[in-house]
Amino acid sequence: MSTKHLARLVVTMGAVALGSLAGAATTVAQPMHILPAGGRTFEAPPTTAFCQQNFAINCYQPAQLAQAYGLNTLHSNGTTGSGETIVIVDAHGSPTIAHDLEVFDKAFGLPAPPSLTIRQDAGASKFDTTNPDDLSWGVETTLDVEWSHVFAPGAKILLEETPVSETEGVHGFPQIVEAENYVINHNLGDVISQSFGATEPTFPSKQSLLDLRSAFESAANHHVTVLGASGDNGATDAESDGTTLFPFRVNSWPSSDPLVTSVGGTMLSLSDAGNRLRPDVVWNDGFGAGGGGVSSIFARPAFQNGVQSVVGDSRGTPDIALSAAVNGAVDIYYSYQPGFNGWNIVGGTSEASPEFAGIVAMADQVAGHRIGLLNPLLYQMHEGQNGLVDVTDGNNSFAGVTGYNAGPGYDLASGVGTVDAARFVPALASLSH
């Protein structure tokens, strides 16, 4: 499988010891499904108790993360992302996403979004149900759409399906850039979520990467927020073959771009009601780890001058972190795969990016305008409270590559921390004026 998007699922047919499926230390754990005995998806949304009993991991439903992140307070006050549009960009998309979102919403008592629009502005994309690559992007699309909607149920959703898979290096990015430029130039969206990335050393040259930045530059000029998942392989990431991991620290783009807000991963430990049983830690559960480190392409941007002691002379990632652990995976529903239609669970920073897109949509609503590039504001907020919650435990060492430790303040494992959205959303909106 060549796909380099970041959704992580794990194959098993029974209870497993955590970490036993992480694979060889030098390979990427490819996006796969958790399937119950008999090779079928689940007929009902998995509960935390079900996942603990059958897979020895936690999994969560929307109400649990809504409680954990303070979303209920916002939603009850009418802060739902109303009037805003979240843009999801994925290769190939999913032919059943509208139906699947409807099933997902009904199962969890969520309202339908004001609209779900599917566009293919970089060329027609066909979804082949016999192609593992397309099926894998279907998982990604399902996760992105359903969980951005959980966080901002009042926001419109625009799914941009591109015709070429993003793998490593330049491949797939010209079409992504074309689609994003179309969205921005035609004023179609307010926040763009990207759950994919290519390792910086896999680009043929520094210039070949820099030549792909036009959409981010346009987004900054049009005050459109752009997010990027930080990766699922800790302080390392995939080589050009898309499978082998670099045996040393690397970073991935577009997460590493200073014009993009890099969203890393945390692991939550929640009760059935969604209350925290302990503080969040850096995602590193044996199945994967939140990406983070310093860029080999981009110098330290001005907004990180205050954390120079951590990042040195380079751009550091992530900027912020949300739920991403496989041991804490979230429920999704899809019906595009014959014989495997139903419920499943998935983790990865692919989850964190659309979740944060929902938070940004709500902040835009409160502000009454697009906030645009978030990074200067996030590092101002880091100096105070404002709903930022410091993550001080864990690290993102993975596959034999020593990563970075979380600690007080900014770090290269969790960024400025995670959020209490009930406080973070109004604080971010206020800072944007």
Side-chain angles (χ1 to χ4, degrees), residues 132-173:
D133 186 53
D134 290 9
L135 294 174
S136 188
W137 280 102
V139 171
E140 181 62 73
T141 301
T142 303
L143 172 66
D144 292 348
V145 169
E146 290 177 356
W147 279 86
S148 63
H149 180 58
V150 168
F151 273 60
K156 293 178 284 187
I157 301 171
L158 168 58
L159 172 62
E160 271 285 355
E161 299 176 344
T162 62
V164 180
S165 289
E166 178 273 318
T167 55
E168 288 297 337
V170 172
H171 195 267
F173 276 113

Side-chain angles (χ1 to χ4, degrees), residues 119-125 160-164 172 174-180 182:
R119 300 184 63 94
Q120 297 183 347
D121 292 308
S125 178
E160 271 285 355
E161 299 176 344
T162 62
V164 180
Q175 294 77 19
I176 290 169
V177 173
E178 180 180 354
E180 292 178 347
Y182 188 95

Side-chain angles (χ1 to χ4, degrees), residues 80-145:
T80 63
S82 176
E84 312 302 324
T85 300
I86 297 171
V87 180
I88 302 296
V89 183
D90 281 311
H92 307 303
S94 164
T96 60
I97 188 59
H99 168 264
D100 296 345
L101 179 61
E102 182 179 358
V103 173
F104 181 88
D105 288 345
K106 287 181 178 178
F108 296 119
L110 298 171
S115 65
L116 169 61
T117 304
I118 301 171
R119 300 184 63 94
Q120 297 183 347
D121 292 308
S125 178
K126 296 181 180 180
F127 191 96
D128 182 354
T129 58
T130 67
N131 185 333
D133 186 53
D134 290 9
L135 294 174
S136 188
W137 280 102
V139 171
E140 181 62 73
T141 301
T142 303
L143 172 66
D144 292 348
V145 169

Side-chain angles (χ1 to χ4, degrees), residues 1-5 91-92 131 133-134 137 162-177 196-200 202-205 208-209 212 239-242 253-254:
M1 185 180 297
S2 60
T3 303
K4 180 58 192 304
H5 61 84
H92 307 303
N131 185 333
D133 186 53
D134 290 9
W137 280 102
T162 62
V164 180
S165 289
E166 178 273 318
T167 55
E168 288 297 337
V170 172
H171 195 267
F173 276 113
Q175 294 77 19
I176 290 169
V177 173
F196 46 77
T199 316
E200 289 179 338
T202 66
F203 286 85
S205 66
S208 69
L209 185 157
L212 295 167
E239 297 187 22
S240 295
D241 62 8
W253 183 85

Side-chain angles (χ1 to χ4, degrees), residues 292-320:
V294 295
S295 172
S296 63
I297 302 293
F298 298 101
R300 183 185 71 249
F303 60 78
Q304 288 192 319
N305 284 346
V307 294
Q308 180 179 358
S309 62
V310 180
V311 302
D313 295 330
S314 301
R315 156 70 161 143
T317 63
D319 297 306
I320 203 158

